[in-house]
Coordinates of all heavy atoms in Angstrom, one line a residue:
V1 N -125.1 -17.0 100.5 CA -125.9 -17.8 101.5 C -125.0 -18.2 102.6 O -125.5 -18.3 103.7 CB -126.5 -19.0 100.8 CG1 -127.3 -19.8 101.8 CG2 -127.5 -18.6 99.7
L2 N -123.7 -18.4 102.4 CA -122.8 -18.9 103.4 C -122.4 -17.7 104.3 O -121.4 -17.1 104.2 CB -121.6 -19.5 102.8 CG -120.6 -20.2 103.8 CD1 -121.3 -21.2 104.7 CD2 -119.5 -20.9 103.1
N3 N -123.3 -17.3 105.3 CA -123.1 -16.2 106.1 C -122.8 -16.5 107.5 O -122.9 -15.6 108.4 CB -124.3 -15.2 106.0 CG -125.6 -15.8 106.5 OD1 -125.5 -16.9 107.1 ND2 -126.7 -15.2 106.3
G4 N -122.6 -17.8 107.8 CA -122.3 -18.2 109.2 C -123.6 -18.6 109.9 O -123.5 -19.3 111.0
T5 N -124.7 -18.3 109.4 CA -126.0 -18.7 110.1 C -126.6 -19.9 109.4 O -127.0 -20.8 110.1 CB -127.0 -17.5 109.9 OG1 -126.5 -16.4 110.5 CG2 -128.3 -17.9 110.6
Y6 N -126.6 -19.9 108.1 CA -127.1 -21.0 107.3 C -126.2 -21.4 106.2 O -126.1 -20.6 105.2 CB -128.5 -20.6 106.8 CG -129.1 -21.7 105.9 CD1 -129.8 -22.8 106.5 CD2 -129.0 -21.7 104.6 CE1 -130.3 -23.8 105.8 CE2 -129.6 -22.7 103.8 CZ -130.2 -23.8 104.4 OH -130.8 -24.8 103.7
P7 N -125.4 -22.5 106.3 CA -124.5 -22.8 105.2 C -125.3 -23.3 104.0 O -126.1 -24.2 104.2 CB -123.6 -23.9 105.9 CG -124.5 -24.5 106.9 CD -125.4 -23.4 107.4
G8 N -125.0 -22.8 102.9 CA -125.7 -23.2 101.7 C -125.0 -22.6 100.5 O -124.2 -21.7 100.6
F9 N -125.5 -23.0 99.3 CA -125.0 -22.5 98.0 C -126.2 -22.2 97.2 O -127.2 -22.9 97.2 CB -124.1 -23.5 97.3 CG -122.9 -23.8 98.1 CD1 -122.8 -24.9 99.0 CD2 -121.7 -23.1 97.9 CE1 -121.7 -25.1 99.7 CE2 -120.6 -23.3 98.6 CZ -120.6 -24.4 99.5
V10 N -126.1 -21.2 96.3 CA -127.1 -20.8 95.3 C -126.4 -20.8 94.0 O -125.4 -20.1 93.9 CB -127.8 -19.5 95.6 CG1 -128.8 -19.2 94.6 CG2 -128.4 -19.5 97.0
I11 N -126.9 -21.5 93.0 CA -126.3 -21.5 91.7 C -127.4 -21.0 90.7 O -128.5 -21.5 90.8 CB -125.9 -22.9 91.3 CG1 -124.8 -23.4 92.3 CG2 -125.3 -23.0 89.9 CD1 -124.5 -24.9 92.2
F12 N -127.0 -20.1 89.8 CA -128.0 -19.5 88.9 C -127.5 -19.8 87.5 O -126.9 -19.0 86.8 CB -128.0 -18.0 89.0 CG -128.5 -17.5 90.4 CD1 -127.6 -17.2 91.4 CD2 -129.9 -17.4 90.6 CE1 -128.1 -16.7 92.6 CE2 -130.3 -17.0 91.9 CZ -129.4 -16.7 92.8
P13 N -127.9 -21.0 87.0 CA -127.6 -21.3 85.6 C -128.5 -20.5 84.6 O -129.6 -20.2 84.9 CB -127.9 -22.8 85.4 CG -128.8 -23.1 86.5 CD -128.6 -22.1 87.6
H14 N -127.9 -20.1 83.5 CA -128.7 -19.4 82.5 C -128.6 -20.1 81.2 O -127.7 -20.9 80.9 CB -128.1 -18.0 82.3 CG -128.3 -17.1 83.4 ND1 -129.2 -16.1 83.5 CD2 -127.7 -17.1 84.7 CE1 -129.2 -15.5 84.6 NE2 -128.3 -16.1 85.4
T15 N -129.6 -19.9 80.3 CA -129.6 -20.5 79.0 C -130.1 -19.5 78.0 O -130.8 -18.6 78.3 CB -130.5 -21.8 78.9 OG1 -130.3 -22.4 77.6 CG2 -131.9 -21.5 79.2
F16 N -129.7 -19.6 76.8 CA -130.2 -18.8 75.7 C -130.7 -19.8 74.6 O -130.0 -20.6 74.1 CB -129.0 -18.0 75.1 CG -128.4 -17.0 76.1 CD1 -127.3 -17.3 76.8 CD2 -129.1 -15.8 76.4 CE1 -126.8 -16.5 77.8 CE2 -128.6 -14.9 77.3 CZ -127.4 -15.3 78.0
G17 N -132.0 -19.7 74.4 CA -132.6 -20.5 73.4 C -133.3 -21.8 73.9 O -133.8 -22.6 73.2
G18 N -133.3 -21.9 75.2 CA -134.1 -23.1 75.8 C -133.2 -24.0 76.6 O -132.0 -24.0 76.5
W19 N -133.9 -24.9 77.3 CA -133.2 -25.9 78.1 C -133.2 -27.2 77.4 O -133.9 -27.4 76.4 CB -134.0 -26.0 79.5 CG -134.0 -24.8 80.3 CD1 -135.0 -23.9 80.4 CD2 -132.9 -24.4 81.1 NE1 -134.6 -22.9 81.2 CE2 -133.3 -23.1 81.7 CE3 -131.7 -24.9 81.4 CZ2 -132.5 -22.4 82.5 CZ3 -130.9 -24.1 82.3 CH2 -131.3 -22.9 82.8
G20 N -132.4 -28.1 77.9 CA -132.3 -29.4 77.2 C -131.3 -30.3 77.9 O -130.7 -29.9 78.9
D21 N -131.1 -31.5 77.4 CA -130.2 -32.5 78.0 C -128.8 -32.0 78.2 O -128.2 -32.3 79.2 CB -130.3 -33.8 77.2 CG -131.6 -34.6 77.4 OD1 -132.2 -34.3 78.5 OD2 -131.9 -35.4 76.5
T22 N -128.3 -31.2 77.3 CA -127.0 -30.7 77.4 C -126.9 -29.8 78.6 O -125.9 -29.9 79.4 CB -126.5 -29.9 76.1 OG1 -126.6 -30.8 75.0 CG2 -125.1 -29.4 76.2
N23 N -127.8 -28.8 78.8 CA -127.8 -28.0 79.9 C -127.9 -28.8 81.2 O -127.2 -28.5 82.2 CB -129.0 -27.0 79.9 CG -129.0 -26.1 78.6 OD1 -129.8 -26.4 77.7 ND2 -128.2 -25.1 78.6
F24 N -128.8 -29.7 81.2 CA -129.1 -30.5 82.4 C -127.8 -31.3 82.8 O -127.5 -31.5 83.9 CB -130.3 -31.4 82.3 CG -131.6 -30.6 82.0 CD1 -132.6 -31.2 81.2 CD2 -131.7 -29.3 82.5 CE1 -133.7 -30.5 81.0 CE2 -132.9 -28.6 82.3 CZ -133.9 -29.2 81.5
A25 N -127.1 -31.9 81.8 CA -125.9 -32.6 82.1 C -124.9 -31.7 82.7 O -124.2 -32.1 83.6 CB -125.4 -33.2 80.8
D26 N -124.7 -30.5 82.2 CA -123.8 -29.5 82.8 C -124.2 -29.2 84.2 O -123.3 -29.1 85.1 CB -123.7 -28.2 82.0 CG -123.1 -28.4 80.6 OD1 -122.4 -29.4 80.4 OD2 -123.3 -27.6 79.7
I27 N -125.5 -29.0 84.5 CA -125.9 -28.7 85.8 C -125.7 -29.9 86.7 O -125.3 -29.7 87.9 CB -127.4 -28.2 85.8 CG1 -127.5 -26.9 85.0 CG2 -127.9 -28.0 87.2 CD1 -128.9 -26.5 84.7
N28 N -126.0 -31.1 86.3 CA -125.7 -32.3 87.0 C -124.2 -32.4 87.4 O -123.9 -32.8 88.5 CB -126.1 -33.5 86.3 CG -127.6 -33.8 86.3 OD1 -128.3 -33.2 87.1 ND2 -128.1 -34.6 85.3
D29 N -123.3 -32.0 86.5 CA -121.9 -32.0 86.8 C -121.6 -31.0 87.9 O -120.8 -31.3 88.8 CB -121.1 -31.6 85.5 CG -121.1 -32.7 84.5 OD1 -121.4 -33.9 84.8 OD2 -120.7 -32.4 83.3
I30 N -122.2 -29.9 87.9 CA -122.0 -28.9 88.9 C -122.5 -29.4 90.3 O -121.8 -29.3 91.3 CB -122.6 -27.5 88.6 CG1 -122.0 -26.9 87.4 CG2 -122.6 -26.6 89.8 CD1 -122.8 -25.7 86.8
I31 N -123.7 -30.0 90.3 CA -124.2 -30.5 91.5 C -123.3 -31.7 92.0 O -123.0 -31.7 93.2 CB -125.6 -31.1 91.3 CG1 -126.6 -29.9 91.0 CG2 -126.1 -31.9 92.5 CD1 -128.0 -30.3 90.5
N32 N -122.9 -32.6 91.2 CA -122.0 -33.7 91.6 C -120.7 -33.1 92.2 O -120.2 -33.7 93.1 CB -121.8 -34.6 90.5 CG -123.0 -35.4 90.1 OD1 -123.9 -35.6 91.0 ND2 -123.1 -35.8 88.9
F33 N -120.1 -32.1 91.5 CA -118.9 -31.5 92.0 C -119.1 -30.9 93.4 O -118.3 -31.1 94.3 CB -118.4 -30.4 91.0 CG -117.2 -29.7 91.5 CD1 -115.9 -30.2 91.3 CD2 -117.3 -28.5 92.3 CE1 -114.8 -29.6 91.8 CE2 -116.1 -27.9 92.7 CZ -114.9 -28.4 92.5
M34 N -120.2 -30.2 93.6 CA -120.5 -29.5 94.9 C -120.7 -30.6 96.0 O -120.2 -30.4 97.1 CB -121.7 -28.6 94.8 CG -121.5 -27.4 93.8 SD -120.1 -26.4 94.3 CE -120.8 -25.6 95.7
V35 N -121.4 -31.7 95.6 CA -121.6 -32.8 96.6 C -120.3 -33.4 97.0 O -120.0 -33.6 98.2 CB -122.5 -33.8 96.0 CG1 -122.5 -35.1 96.9 CG2 -124.0 -33.3 95.9
A36 N -119.4 -33.6 96.1 CA -118.1 -34.2 96.3 C -117.1 -33.3 97.0 O -116.3 -33.7 97.8 CB -117.5 -34.7 95.0
N37 N -117.2 -32.0 96.8 CA -116.1 -31.1 97.2 C -116.5 -30.0 98.2 O -115.7 -29.3 98.7 CB -115.5 -30.4 96.0 CG -114.8 -31.4 95.1 OD1 -113.8 -31.9 95.4 ND2 -115.4 -31.7 94.0
A38 N -117.8 -29.8 98.4 CA -118.3 -28.7 99.2 C -119.2 -29.0 100.3 O -120.0 -28.2 100.8 CB -118.9 -27.6 98.3
D39 N -119.2 -30.3 100.7 CA -120.1 -30.8 101.8 C -121.6 -30.5 101.6 O -122.3 -30.1 102.5 CB -119.6 -30.2 103.1 CG -120.2 -30.9 104.3 OD1 -120.4 -32.1 104.2 OD2 -120.4 -30.3 105.4
V40 N -122.0 -30.6 100.3 CA -123.4 -30.4 100.0 C -124.2 -31.8 100.2 O -123.7 -32.8 99.7 CB -123.6 -29.9 98.5 CG1 -125.0 -30.0 98.1 CG2 -123.0 -28.5 98.4
D41 N -125.3 -31.7 100.9 CA -126.1 -32.9 101.1 C -126.9 -33.2 99.9 O -127.8 -32.4 99.5 CB -127.0 -32.7 102.3 CG -127.8 -33.9 102.7 OD1 -127.9 -34.8 101.9 OD2 -128.4 -33.9 103.8
P42 N -126.7 -34.3 99.1 CA -127.4 -34.6 97.9 C -128.9 -34.8 98.1 O -129.7 -34.7 97.2 CB -126.8 -35.8 97.4 CG -126.2 -36.5 98.5 CD -125.8 -35.4 99.5
N43 N -129.3 -35.0 99.4 CA -130.7 -35.2 99.7 C -131.4 -33.8 100.0 O -132.6 -33.8 100.4 CB -130.9 -36.1 100.9 CG -130.4 -37.5 100.5 OD1 -130.8 -38.1 99.5 ND2 -129.6 -38.1 101.4
R44 N -130.7 -32.7 99.9 CA -131.3 -31.4 100.2 C -131.1 -30.4 99.0 O -131.2 -29.2 99.2 CB -130.6 -30.8 101.4 CG -131.0 -31.6 102.6 CD -130.3 -31.0 103.8 NE -131.2 -31.1 105.0 CZ -131.1 -30.5 106.1 NH1 -130.0 -29.7 106.3 NH2 -131.9 -30.6 107.1
V45 N -130.9 -30.9 97.8 CA -130.8 -30.1 96.6 C -132.1 -29.8 96.1 O -132.9 -30.7 95.9 CB -129.9 -30.7 95.6 CG1 -129.8 -29.9 94.3 CG2 -128.5 -31.0 96.1
V46 N -132.4 -28.5 95.9 CA -133.7 -28.0 95.4 C -133.5 -27.2 94.2 O -132.6 -26.4 94.1 CB -134.4 -27.2 96.5 CG1 -135.8 -26.6 96.0 CG2 -134.6 -28.0 97.8
V47 N -134.5 -27.3 93.3 CA -134.4 -26.5 92.0 C -135.6 -25.5 92.0 O -136.7 -25.9 92.5 CB -134.4 -27.4 90.8 CG1 -135.7 -28.3 90.7 CG2 -134.3 -26.6 89.5
H48 N -135.3 -24.3 91.5 CA -136.3 -23.3 91.4 C -136.1 -22.5 90.1 O -134.9 -22.3 89.7 CB -136.3 -22.4 92.6 CG -137.1 -21.1 92.4 ND1 -138.4 -21.1 92.4 CD2 -136.7 -19.8 92.2 CE1 -138.9 -19.9 92.2 NE2 -137.8 -19.1 92.1
G49 N -137.1 -22.1 89.5 CA -137.0 -21.3 88.3 C -138.2 -20.4 88.0 O -139.3 -20.8 88.4
L50 N -138.0 -19.3 87.4 CA -139.0 -18.3 87.1 C -139.1 -18.1 85.6 O -138.1 -18.0 85.0 CB -138.7 -17.0 87.8 CG -139.6 -15.8 87.5 CD1 -141.0 -16.1 88.0 CD2 -139.0 -14.6 88.1
S51 N -140.3 -18.2 85.1 CA -140.6 -17.9 83.7 C -139.9 -19.0 82.8 O -140.2 -20.2 83.0 CB -140.1 -16.5 83.3 OG -140.6 -16.2 82.0
Q52 N -138.9 -18.6 82.0 CA -138.2 -19.7 81.2 C -137.5 -20.6 82.1 O -137.4 -21.8 81.8 CB -137.2 -19.0 80.3 CG -136.3 -19.9 79.4 CD -137.1 -20.7 78.3 OE1 -138.2 -20.3 78.0 NE2 -136.6 -21.7 77.8
G53 N -137.0 -20.2 83.3 CA -136.4 -21.1 84.3 C -137.5 -22.0 84.9 O -137.2 -23.1 85.3
G54 N -138.7 -21.5 85.0 CA -139.8 -22.4 85.5 C -140.1 -23.5 84.5 O -140.3 -24.6 84.9
K55 N -140.1 -23.1 83.2 CA -140.2 -24.2 82.2 C -139.1 -25.2 82.3 O -139.3 -26.4 82.2 CB -140.3 -23.5 80.8 CG -140.5 -24.5 79.7 CD -140.6 -23.7 78.4 CE -141.0 -24.6 77.2 NZ -140.1 -25.6 76.8
G56 N -137.9 -24.6 82.4 CA -136.7 -25.5 82.5 C -136.8 -26.4 83.8 O -136.4 -27.6 83.7
T57 N -137.3 -25.9 84.9 CA -137.5 -26.7 86.1 C -138.4 -27.8 85.8 O -138.1 -29.0 86.2 CB -138.0 -25.8 87.2 OG1 -137.1 -24.8 87.5 CG2 -138.3 -26.6 88.5
W58 N -139.6 -27.6 85.2 CA -140.5 -28.7 84.8 C -139.8 -29.7 83.9 O -139.9 -30.9 84.2 CB -141.7 -28.2 84.1 CG -142.7 -27.5 84.9 CD1 -143.1 -26.2 84.9 CD2 -143.5 -28.1 86.0 NE1 -144.1 -26.0 85.8 CE2 -144.3 -27.2 86.5 CE3 -143.5 -29.4 86.5 CZ2 -145.2 -27.4 87.6 CZ3 -144.4 -29.7 87.6 CH2 -145.3 -28.7 88.1
E59 N -139.0 -29.2 82.9 CA -138.3 -30.2 82.0 C -137.3 -31.0 82.7 O -137.1 -32.2 82.5 CB -137.7 -29.4 80.8 CG -138.8 -28.8 79.9 CD -138.2 -27.9 78.9 OE1 -136.9 -27.7 78.8 OE2 -139.0 -27.3 78.1
Y60 N -136.5 -30.3 83.6 CA -135.4 -30.9 84.4 C -136.0 -32.0 85.3 O -135.5 -33.2 85.3 CB -134.7 -29.9 85.2 CG -133.3 -30.3 85.6 CD1 -132.3 -29.3 85.6 CD2 -132.9 -31.5 85.9 CE1 -131.0 -29.6 86.0 CE2 -131.7 -31.9 86.3 CZ -130.7 -30.9 86.4 OH -129.4 -31.2 86.7
I61 N -137.0 -31.7 86.1 CA -137.5 -32.7 87.0 C -138.2 -33.9 86.3 O -138.2 -35.0 86.8 CB -138.4 -32.1 88.1 CG1 -139.7 -31.5 87.5 CG2 -137.6 -31.1 88.9 CD1 -140.6 -31.0 88.6
N62 N -138.7 -33.6 85.1 CA -139.3 -34.7 84.3 C -138.2 -35.6 83.7 O -138.4 -36.8 83.7 CB -140.2 -34.2 83.2 CG -141.6 -33.8 83.7 OD1 -142.2 -34.5 84.5 ND2 -142.1 -32.6 83.4
A63 N -137.1 -35.0 83.3 CA -136.0 -35.8 82.7 C -135.2 -36.4 83.7 O -134.6 -37.5 83.5 CB -135.2 -34.8 81.8
H64 N -135.0 -35.8 84.9 CA -134.1 -36.4 86.0 C -134.9 -36.3 87.3 O -134.5 -35.5 88.2 CB -132.9 -35.5 86.0 CG -132.1 -35.4 84.7 ND1 -131.2 -36.4 84.4 CD2 -132.2 -34.6 83.7 CE1 -130.8 -36.1 83.2 NE2 -131.3 -35.0 82.8
P65 N -135.9 -37.1 87.5 CA -136.7 -37.0 88.7 C -136.0 -37.3 90.0 O -136.6 -37.0 91.1 CB -137.9 -38.0 88.4 CG -137.3 -39.0 87.5 CD -136.3 -38.2 86.6
R66 N -134.9 -38.0 90.0 CA -134.2 -38.4 91.3 C -133.1 -37.4 91.7 O -132.4 -37.7 92.7 CB -133.7 -39.8 91.2 CG -134.8 -40.8 90.9 CD -134.3 -42.2 91.0 NE -135.3 -43.1 90.6 CZ -136.3 -43.6 91.4 NH1 -136.3 -43.2 92.6 NH2 -137.1 -44.5 90.9
V67 N -132.9 -36.3 91.0 CA -131.8 -35.4 91.3 C -132.1 -34.5 92.5 O -131.3 -34.2 93.3 CB -131.4 -34.6 90.1 CG1 -130.4 -33.5 90.4 CG2 -130.9 -35.5 89.0
F68 N -133.4 -34.1 92.6 CA -133.7 -33.0 93.5 C -134.6 -33.5 94.7 O -135.5 -34.4 94.5 CB -134.4 -31.9 92.8 CG -133.5 -31.2 91.8 CD1 -133.7 -31.5 90.4 CD2 -132.5 -30.4 92.2 CE1 -132.9 -30.9 89.5 CE2 -131.7 -29.8 91.2 CZ -131.9 -30.1 89.9
A69 N -134.5 -32.9 95.8 CA -135.4 -33.2 96.9 C -136.7 -32.4 96.8 O -137.7 -32.8 97.3 CB -134.7 -32.7 98.2
G70 N -136.7 -31.3 96.0 CA -137.9 -30.6 95.8 C -137.7 -29.6 94.6 O -136.6 -29.4 94.2
A71 N -138.8 -29.1 94.2 CA -138.8 -28.2 93.0 C -139.8 -27.1 93.2 O -140.9 -27.4 93.8 CB -139.1 -29.0 91.7
A72 N -139.5 -25.9 92.8 CA -140.5 -24.8 92.9 C -140.5 -24.0 91.6 O -140.0 -22.9 91.4 CB -140.1 -23.9 94.0
P73 N -141.1 -24.6 90.5 CA -141.3 -23.9 89.3 C -142.3 -22.8 89.4 O -143.3 -22.9 90.1 CB -141.7 -24.9 88.3 CG -142.4 -26.0 89.1 CD -141.7 -26.0 90.4
M74 N -141.9 -21.6 88.9 CA -142.8 -20.4 89.0 C -143.1 -19.8 87.6 O -142.1 -19.5 86.9 CB -142.1 -19.4 89.9 CG -142.9 -18.8 90.9 SD -141.8 -17.9 92.0 CE -142.4 -16.2 91.6
S75 N -144.3 -19.7 87.3 CA -144.7 -19.0 86.0 C -144.0 -19.7 84.8 O -143.7 -19.0 83.8 CB -144.3 -17.5 86.0 OG -144.9 -16.9 87.1
G76 N -143.9 -21.0 84.8 CA -143.3 -21.7 83.7 C -144.3 -22.5 83.0 O -145.1 -23.2 83.7
I77 N -144.3 -22.4 81.7 CA -145.3 -23.2 80.9 C -144.8 -24.7 80.8 O -143.6 -24.9 80.9 CB -145.6 -22.6 79.5 CG1 -144.3 -22.6 78.7 CG2 -146.2 -21.2 79.7 CD1 -144.5 -22.2 77.3
I78 N -145.7 -25.6 80.5 CA -145.3 -26.9 80.2 C -145.7 -27.2 78.8 O -146.7 -26.8 78.3 CB -146.1 -27.9 81.1 CG1 -145.8 -27.6 82.6 CG2 -145.8 -29.4 80.8 CD1 -146.7 -28.4 83.5
G79 N -144.8 -27.9 78.1 CA -145.0 -28.2 76.7 C -144.4 -27.2 75.7 O -143.5 -26.4 76.1
D80 N -144.9 -27.2 74.5 CA -144.4 -26.3 73.5 C -145.0 -25.0 73.4 O -144.7 -24.2 72.5 CB -144.5 -27.0 72.1 CG -143.6 -28.3 72.1 OD1 -142.6 -28.3 72.8 OD2 -144.0 -29.2 71.4
N81 N -146.0 -24.6 74.2 CA -146.7 -23.4 74.1 C -145.9 -22.2 74.7 O -145.2 -22.3 75.6 CB -148.0 -23.5 74.8 CG -148.9 -24.5 74.1 OD1 -148.8 -24.8 72.9 ND2 -149.8 -25.1 74.9

């Protein structure tokens, strides 16, 4: 994304077996590192996920509602279904 036109970062976390507090704590650590060391604006961090990532997006924003400026879950189920 850092191509000289629009400075930004894209991070693609993966999980095997589902999302949860451990994954979210690791992702929070990455976000905090990037804010502190890479001139990332904490008020412009957005989360997006597709399928299992969409489910993780819903879970993440419910568990940590103040981390992201926006969210775009796609094709992610809510709950245990």
Side-chain angles (χ1 to χ4, degrees):
V1 176
L2 186 55
N3 64 9
T5 303
Y6 179 81
F9 296 91
V10 179
I11 301 168
F12 297 98
H14 292 254
T15 185
F16 298 96
W19 296 98
D21 287 336
T22 302
N23 302 104
F24 300 149
D26 291 340
I27 297 167
N28 283 342
D29 289 345
I30 294 168
I31 293 169
N32 291 333
F33 177 86
M34 297 300 288
V35 167
N37 296 288
D39 196 30
V40 170
D41 182 346
N43 296 311
R44 293 179 141 192
V45 177
V46 178
V47 61
H48 168 71
L50 172 65
S51 190
Q52 179 69 16
K55 183 177 187 291
T57 297
W58 282 117
E59 292 173 1
Y60 201 144
I61 62 175
N62 281 315
H64 304 275
R66 299 189 188 275
V67 172
F68 299 103
M74 227 170 110
S75 302
I77 63 170
I78 302 173
D80 295 330
N81 298 332

